[in-house]
Amino acid sequence: MKNKFPILISEEQIKKRVAELGKKISSDYVNKLDKPLVVIGVLKGSFVFLADLVRSLEVSCEIEFIEVSSYGAGTSSSGRVKLKREPSLHLADRHVLIVEDIIDTGHTFEFLEDYFVGKHLASFRTCAFLDKPSRRQVEMKVDYSGFEIDDHFVVGYGLDLDGRYREISSVVIYQQS
Ligand code: IMP
Ligand code: MG
């Protein structure tokens, strides 16, 4: 048995919501594709969501990754964001859609927004699978959000605790045993 934690968001709910997001994002970009769309996944947590999201899009896109870290060990953010891997693709004149697993304090998103300033993008939008608005420390705007959740530490569907539990197919609430 892979998952011993209570389910917060089921595979079925995820599937339905990802399909809705895919439709909405596609309709927003379909008339702008004189410039290419690059979907940039924030490693590592976004990899499962990103894989489902891009397959639900009805427009074509390129895929890139950026890696940042903020957590260190444990279940609370350090607030200090470090860039660990830069995108290798040339991004100027492309529409960039950043895909994150979860927005918690907002520090990571703020760091990413700053990173892309001055890169001469055609446009910049943000998409997060999960959003914990009650934890926000930095004002920020998410263009596409999958689910708003209460202040639980969740794992699964790409989200981890110290590198574990990413492979669980649903979103579950981590509980110490
Ligand atoms: P922020 O910078 O505080 O917004 O945190 C963003 C990052 O913290 C996310 O990309 C996640 O990697 C991690 N994170 C925040 N909340 C959770 C959670 O409930 N489970 C797993 N990772 C989380
Ligand atoms: Mg992350």
Side-chain angles (χ1 to χ4, degrees), residues 6-156:
I7 293 179
L8 182 66
I9 308 172
S10 70
E11 282 183 70
E12 277 312 300
Q13 287 172 287
I14 294 172
K15 210 171 158 187
K16 184 164 168 277
R17 186 68 186 126
V18 171
E20 287 170 2
L21 284 174
K23 270 212 154 50
K24 171 78 179 119
I25 293 170
S26 303
S27 73
D28 289 354
Y29 283 98
V30 71
N31 293 320
K32 297 184 179 161
L33 294 178
D34 48 322
K35 311 237 170 107
L37 168 64
V38 188
V39 179
I40 304 186
V42 182
L43 291 172
K44 298 173 183 152
S46 73
F47 81 104
V48 179
F49 176 48
L50 181 93
D52 285 344
L53 185 70
V54 294
R55 285 178 294 175
S56 79
L57 292 181
E58 292 152 13
V59 292
S60 54
C61 64
E62 293 172 78
I63 295 167
E64 235 325 326
F65 293 99
I66 187 168
E67 184 168 5
V68 295
S69 71
S70 62
Y71 255 57
T75 60
S76 68
S77 173
S78 67
R80 285 185 307 277
V81 183
K82 274 190 289 208
L83 181 63
K84 294 176 80 178
R85 177 196 189 274
E86 291 199 58
S88 50
L89 208 63
H90 187 67
L91 298 173
D93 244 8
R94 290 172 149 93
H95 296 291
V96 164
L97 177 66
I98 281 282
V99 175
E100 254 279 38
D101 53 357
I102 186 165
I103 303 175
D104 184 30
T105 61
H107 287 294
T108 305
F109 251 89
E110 185 183 48
F111 175 90
L112 290 167
E113 275 178 344
D114 290 349
Y115 173 83
F116 287 103
V117 166
K119 299 256 188 301
H120 307 288
L121 309 180
S123 70
F124 177 80
R125 285 192 183 176
T126 52
C127 175
F129 173 58
L130 300 176
D131 187 3
K132 282 198 258 189
S134 65
R135 299 252 314 159
R136 201 74 89 247
Q137 293 173 5
V138 180
E139 273 296 311
M140 51 150 306
K141 171 175 153 278
V142 200
D143 297 297
Y144 306 100
S145 147
F147 298 91
E148 282 195 3
I149 62 169
D150 292 336
D151 185 11
H152 303 291
F153 193 84
V154 291
V155 293

